[in-house]
Amino acid sequence: MSIETVITSEELHELRAQWAGQKVVLVPTMGALHEGHISLVEKAKALGDRVIVSIFVNPKQFGPREDFATYPRTLAEDVEKLTAAQADAVFLPNASEMYPEGYQTYVVNDVMSLGLCGATRENHFRGVLTVVLKLFNQVKPQAALFGKKDYQQWRLIERMVKDLSLDVAVLGEEIVREKDGLAMSSRNRRLTPEERKVAPQIYKGLEKAHQQYVMGERHRDKLLTTFKQHLAAFKEFNLEYVEVRVQDALQEAEILEKPSVMLVAARLGDVRLIDNIELG
Ligand code: AMP
């Protein structure tokens, strides 16, 4: 069966009318799809009657010195993969329709968005929350699926749904990894062979800290030191941050009494990688 391709808001409106009374699940993406995305599609299929995947490289979530121009775009392959995964529709909005001339309205979180990735990626989460709210308004899904790979993003979207009384169930799904542990990411294809070889060390370091947590260590700083010492042995990395936060609201804690998460961002050459591991 072929997949429905939807570009304009009129086409989307028509499709939604056809799907009246059915449970619609949205999987928002920026394309360059890999198995992590496809696992979200599979979860979505199990959860609802209709699955719609959006592909939109959202200019509002990239800073002026970030990789918007070089972000991988593989639309034909993406549509093939979504067809094979039996998604019902793919939504490919145009930037000009998403952000019409004179655009000036944004969703801003001014607590949870400030640290971690938000500390270096100015306005990134403003762009993410704005586009996700717009996608929710356009697609009107009953549920939407996000990967825990973008942990802060997922928690911010949960918070937005609560704060703005949105009628959509937001679910976070487990990280899909390569065999060697590297979290799948559209950006991985931009790693050189040498960088690709060393990239799984981020997860190896997270696993070491996790192991220490499982053995009973609850001092945040001890766990952070374990990670930092591991990564320091690989000179190729430029560590942007490693932090431990409480899972739901991402607040800091020196002693981990609540379920927590260790989050990392590191650069290999000009590729920025993120990963995390839940502690408890
Ligand atoms: P992106 O296309 O990178 O914006 O990602 C679209 C969605 O797929 C987001 O909810 C991501 O968190 C999720 N995602 C990306 N990589 C993975 C992965 N390796 N495992 C699970 N979900 C992922």
Side-chain angles (χ1 to χ4, degrees):
M1 244 194 43
S2 71
I3 192 168
E4 193 93 34
T5 302
V6 177
I7 296 172
T8 65
S9 52
E10 287 81 42
E11 289 167 350
L12 185 61
H13 202 77
E14 222 168 86
L15 185 76
R16 281 308 272 113
Q18 285 169 26
W19 289 354
Q22 303 191 61
K23 180 168 178 185
V24 174
V25 185
L26 170 68
V27 179
T29 81
M30 298 205 300
L33 301 181
H34 50 66
E35 285 168 46
H37 298 113
I38 299 305
S39 84
L40 294 179
V41 173
E42 281 160 5
K43 292 270 160 54
K45 281 186 70 72
L47 200 70
D49 305 312
R50 295 291 181 177
V51 176
I52 179 164
V53 178
S54 60
I55 299 180
F56 181 61
V57 185
N58 175 29
K60 301 276 189 201
Q61 71 187 67
F62 289 82
R65 282 171 302 280
E66 291 182 0
D67 59 351
F68 176 70
T70 55
Y71 195 85
R73 288 160 170 90
T74 59
L75 185 57
E77 288 160 47
D78 291 351
V79 172
E80 254 173 49
K81 285 179 188 169
L82 293 176
T83 306
Q86 298 184 317
D88 296 283
V90 54
F91 177 37
L92 307 168
N94 283 319
S96 57
E97 195 174 0
M98 198 59 106
Y99 302 114
E101 212 177 309
Y103 193 88
Q104 50 187 268
T105 308
Y106 295 89
V107 181
V108 176
N109 171 303
D110 51 18
V111 180
M112 233 199 283
S113 74
L114 298 183
L116 304 169
C117 290
T120 48
R121 301 193 71 188
E122 204 191 339
N123 287 332
H124 169 65
F125 289 116
R126 179 182 89 142
V128 169
L129 294 178
T130 300
V131 83
V132 170
L133 177 63
K134 285 185 65 94
L135 289 168
F136 286 175
N137 285 335
Q138 290 163 325
V139 176
K140 301 183 178 63
Q142 276 80 10
L145 298 192
F146 296 86
K148 289 190 189 176
K149 193 194 134 243
D150 300 273
Y151 201 92
Q152 186 179 14
Q153 166 177 290
W154 166 49
R155 292 302 194 186
L156 278 161
I157 291 165
E158 275 190 337
R159 191 70 241 177
M160 173 179 76
V161 163
K162 228 184 247 176
D163 289 351
L164 300 183
S165 312
L166 305 181
D167 196 13
V168 53
V170 166
L171 300 171
E173 299 298 336
E174 296 310 319
I175 301 174
V176 178
R177 300 180 179 281
E178 302 286 356
K179 282 198 185 71
D180 58 12
L182 175 64
M184 288 193 184
S185 162
S186 304
R187 289 184 170 99
N188 291 350
R189 66 183 76 207
R190 290 181 33 224
L191 295 169
T192 65
E194 293 71 35
E195 289 165 353
R196 174 63 190 81
K197 221 172 275 167
V198 78
Q201 295 304 331
I202 296 178
Y203 184 56
K204 295 277 180 317
L206 288 173
E207 274 187 314
K208 272 193 186 172
H210 180 256
Q211 194 55 32
Q212 204 180 9
Y213 177 88
V214 170
M215 301 298 280
E217 182 59 73
R218 291 294 179 272
H219 289 86
R220 173 192 66 189
D221 293 347
K222 293 246 172 74
L223 298 168
L224 289 174
T225 300
T226 296
F227 179 87
K228 285 178 190 163
Q229 280 177 350
H230 178 85
L231 210 71
F234 302 92
K235 300 294 172 217
E236 297 88 341
F237 286 104
N238 209 331
L239 182 63
E240 187 180 297
Y241 69 76
V242 56
E243 292 197 41
V244 176
R245 299 292 185 96
V246 177
Q247 277 182 23
D248 307 352
L250 300 180
Q251 67 273 38
E252 297 192 47
E254 255 174 72
I255 306 292
L256 309 185
E257 282 159 352
K258 295 184 182 158
S260 300
V261 54
M262 181 176 280
L263 309 108
V264 182
R267 280 177 190 280
L268 274 177
D270 61 358
V271 182
R272 184 176 181 276
L273 299 174
I274 58 170
D275 203 351
N276 66 80
I277 198 162
E278 288 180 325
L279 305 171

